[in-house]
């Protein structure tokens, strides 16, 4: 619940915690809810002809796709009646009042999705210290200089505008997860250079600090649309490498290949496919973390049984429990 002007309103997390069989009425928690609209697209009902929005709404901890009657802008704070359809296993919202989120920064801060990253800065620092290569460690310390704009933006950035790790701190959370996975994978292969794997994992998405807005809708910036995060990241790293005297061109080439190829295929945004073992490790660690976060987020809002089809992964998922 959130207190607004002395009145308690349920947020999305409160609403979806109620077991599906107990969602039997409009506003089944006793009062309308408050929601942050992350994204929306306007449709028209084939039956009534009325306009509605397919929208993604959130609070600090949860995100769910819903139907909102009427048109609504991204970044809006929505006070609405909510209703759950057991037939369609989805929520619909009927707006009572709509507020521009930027006009209430106090509510926006509470409602924007956040990732719990307590202790993650210390993990990042420890990982950097564990890099043995003098040049790669220097590079990491320049990029993650605590007094730099890059570092400040990195701590708060989202990892995506949709699908996975969307929210404040999402990029830091995702980066540490990818680095851990990459180290775990490479530990099985003594031939793989661990310094290159760790450096590539920590830097693979650094371009995302300029790719998305800081919320509430986490939309693409002009830079993000025109260049994409891989190109932006290479530019950031080029400037950082130029600050290190005698940085080996061969090492720069290999590291930039790891960054450029981490999406794994040309059709997914990489200008080149992975062609060295370290690039393959970083690519699959990134893919595992992105897909697992998507699956976990999808299952979190499902009580039991099948989810709806996830467009990002192209399938539905099954939530099971041991009896």
């Amino acid at each position: 619940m959130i207190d607004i002007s002395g009145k308690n309103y349920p947020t999305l997390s409160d609403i979806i915690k109620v077991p599906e069989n107990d969602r039997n009425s409009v506003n089944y928690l006793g009062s309308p809810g408050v929601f942050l609209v992350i994204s929306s697209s306007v449709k028209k009902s084939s039956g009534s002809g009325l306009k509605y929005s397919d929208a993604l709404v959130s609070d600090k901890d949860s995100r769910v796709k819903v139907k909102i009657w009427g048109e609504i802008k991204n970044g809006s704070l929505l006070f609405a009646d909510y209703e759950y359809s057991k037939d369609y296993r989805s929520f619909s919202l009927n707006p009572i009042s709509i507020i521009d989120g930027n006009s209430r920064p106090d509510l926006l801060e509470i409602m924007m999705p956040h990732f719990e990253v307590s202790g993650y800065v210390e993990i990042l620092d420890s990982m950097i210290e564990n890099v043995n290569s003098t040049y790669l460690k220097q590079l990491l310390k320049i990029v993650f200089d605590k007094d730099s704009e890059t570092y400040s933006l990195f701590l708060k950035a989202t990892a995506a505008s949709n699908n996975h790790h969307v929210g404040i701190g999402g990029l830091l959370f995702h980066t540490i997860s990818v680095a851990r996975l990459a180290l775990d994978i490479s530990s099985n292969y003594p031939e793989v250079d661990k310094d290159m794997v760790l450096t590539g994992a920590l830097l693979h998405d650094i371009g995302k600090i300029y790719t998305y807005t800081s919320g509430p809708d986490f939309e693409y910036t002009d830079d993000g649309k025109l260049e994409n995060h891989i190109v932006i990241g290479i530019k950031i790293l080029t400037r950082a490498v130029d600050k290190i005297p005698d940085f080996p061109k061969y090492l720069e080439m290999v590291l930039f290949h790891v960054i450029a190829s981490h999406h794994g295929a040309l059709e997914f945004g990489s200008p080149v496919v992975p062609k060295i073992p370290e690039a393959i490790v970083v690519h699959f660690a990134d893919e595992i973390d992105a897909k697992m976060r998507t699956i976990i987020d999808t299952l979190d809002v499902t009580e039991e049984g099948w989810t709806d089809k996830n467009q990002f992964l192209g399938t539905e998922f099954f939530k099971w429990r041991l009896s």
Side-chain angles (χ1 to χ4, degrees):
M1 293 284 186
I2 182 173
D3 185 296
I4 302 175
S5 302
K7 183 175 180 179
N8 285 326
Y9 292 88
T11 65
L12 181 62
S13 294
D14 301 313
I15 291 166
I16 64 176
K17 283 178 183 175
V18 175
E20 187 172 2
N21 289 336
D22 295 332
R23 303 171 184 173
N24 295 321
S25 61
V26 176
N27 299 342
Y28 50 76
L29 285 177
S31 63
V34 59
F35 309 87
L36 173 63
V37 180
I38 300 294
S39 63
S40 66
S41 59
V42 179
K43 305 286 180 68
K44 184 177 285 188
S45 171
S46 58
S48 64
L50 296 175
K51 288 184 178 180
Y52 68 91
S53 297
D54 275 338
L56 182 69
V57 298
S58 81
D59 62 11
K60 183 177 179 180
D61 300 309
S62 303
R63 297 185 304 142
V64 170
K65 290 184 177 180
V66 300
K67 176 187 288 186
I68 301 174
W69 291 106
E71 298 182 50
I72 192 161
K73 293 181 179 179
N74 297 349
S76 297
L77 287 166
L78 173 67
F79 293 83
D81 294 323
Y82 51 91
E83 186 172 13
Y84 182 75
S85 169
K86 293 180 182 177
D87 291 333
Y88 294 101
R89 302 187 69 188
S90 63
F91 288 93
S92 61
L93 307 180
N94 194 8
I96 297 171
S97 86
I98 301 171
I99 300 173
D100 182 351
N102 292 318
S103 70
R104 289 295 305 269
D106 55 332
L107 289 181
L108 201 57
E109 174 63 24
I110 295 171
M111 294 295 293
M112 274 202 296
H114 287 66
F115 280 80
E116 178 51 59
V117 290
S118 175
Y120 274 53
V121 168
E122 291 76 14
I123 296 171
L124 175 63
D125 291 343
S126 175
M127 286 180 167
I128 292 173
E129 288 302 322
N130 284 332
V131 173
N132 294 311
S133 164
T134 301
Y135 290 109
L136 293 179
K137 183 180 287 188
Q138 279 184 278
L139 177 62
L140 287 166
K141 288 190 172 183
I142 289 172
V143 173
F144 295 113
D145 176 4
K146 289 182 168 56
D147 294 324
S148 69
E149 178 184 73
T150 299
Y151 183 75
S152 176
L153 293 173
F154 176 75
L155 295 185
K156 297 180 180 179
T158 182
S161 62
N162 203 350
N163 298 321
H164 75 94
H165 298 92
V166 178
I168 296 170
L171 181 56
L172 173 58
F173 192 98
H174 172 59
T175 297
I176 297 300
S177 296
V178 170
R180 284 170 162 168
L181 283 166
L183 288 175
D184 285 345
I185 294 169
S186 60
S187 68
N188 292 283
Y189 307 98
E191 301 85 356
V192 172
D193 187 285
K194 308 304 186 294
D195 283 352
M196 183 57 67
V197 165
L198 182 54
T199 303
L202 292 176
L203 295 175
H204 79 284
D205 271 348
I206 193 64
K208 287 185 174 180
I209 64 173
Y210 297 121
T211 300
Y212 306 106
T213 63
S214 58
D217 45 12
F218 305 106
E219 291 182 330
Y220 278 90
T221 62
D222 291 341
D223 290 329
K225 290 178 180 178
L226 292 173
E227 295 183 321
N228 97 24
H229 73 279
I230 292 177
V231 174
I232 297 170
I234 295 292
K235 289 168 67 176
I236 292 171
L237 297 180
T238 299
R239 290 192 291 269
V241 164
D242 287 345
K243 296 177 181 179
I244 303 173
D246 302 318
F247 193 99
K249 288 295 181 183
Y250 188 76
L251 190 63
E252 177 184 335
M253 176 185 71
V254 172
L255 174 61
F256 284 13
H257 172 72
V258 173
I259 305 302
S261 65
H262 79 264
H263 272 199
L266 276 63
E267 59 267 31
F268 297 141
S270 276
V272 64
V273 300
K275 296 181 180 181
I276 61 173
E278 293 78 9
I280 291 173
V281 169
V282 171
H283 160 58
F284 279 112
D286 178 49
E287 185 170 33
I288 289 169
D289 191 56
K291 288 184 175 179
M292 285 301 298
R293 177 49 49 189
T294 301
I295 294 168
I296 289 167
D297 287 346
T298 301
L299 293 176
D300 274 349
V301 296
T302 302
E303 189 173 348
E304 198 168 357
W306 290 100
T307 69
D308 292 333
K309 182 176 180 179
N310 182 278
Q311 297 303 316
F312 175 48
L313 297 179
T315 188
E316 66 273 32
F317 298 100
F318 185 71
K319 187 169 187 176
W320 64 279
R321 292 175 180 160
L322 288 173
S323 55

